[in-house]
Amino acid sequence: MAEAERDYVREKTLEGHETARAKGKTIGGVKVGNGDMRAMALHLRDQGLSLRDIASRLVITTGAKEGEHPSPATVMRMLREHDEKTASKVEEQSQNSG
């Protein structure tokens, strides 16, 4: 019984997210990273620093968390998104030139 209720709540939550996205709403927290922060994170990663060390050297410049350090998870997500975009661009270029 509890499992069916949990599934129902999950289904309704996902439907609500879909409806919100269709109306142009964003789901989740505010983005704390920007181009400058990403560039610095990439530079620090190239120097071999850990995610925790990179996060401790970055500072959020806008929003409610201004002046705080991003979490290592946020840094990891930012770098992963960059790597995925870069990989897809490289793949497109190789398909177009080949």
Side-chain angles (χ1 to χ4, degrees), residues 3 7 9 11 14 16-17 20 25 29 35-36 40 52-53 59 69 79 85 89-91 93 98:
E3 185 176 343
D7 289 341
V9 169
E11 185 178 310
L14 292 176
H17 286 180
K25 305 284 184 186
D36 292 338
M40 180 56 78
R52 186 171 291 168
D53 290 337
V59 177
H69 300 287
L79 294 172
K85 286 179 184 176
K89 286 181 185 178
V90 169
E91 186 176 319
Q93 289 174 352

Side-chain angles (χ1 to χ4, degrees), residues 29-46:
V30 177
K31 299 278 186 193
V32 296
N34 58 29
D36 292 338
M37 185 184 290
R38 182 176 52 248
M40 180 56 78
L42 289 167
H43 173 73
L44 294 172
R45 181 178 68 176
D46 291 344

Side-chain angles (χ1 to χ4, degrees), residues 78-90:
M78 183 185 346
L79 294 172
R80 183 179 57 225
E81 288 172 1
H82 172 267
D83 292 343
E84 288 171 355
K85 286 179 184 176
T86 303
S88 66
K89 286 181 185 178
V90 169

Side-chain angles (χ1 to χ4, degrees), residues 14-16 23 30 48 50-51 55 63 68 74 76 79 83 92 94:
L14 292 176
E15 286 177 14
K23 292 179 180 179
V30 177
S50 69
L51 290 172
E68 297 181 20
T74 297
M76 180 178 65
L79 294 172
D83 292 343
E92 285 178 17
S94 67

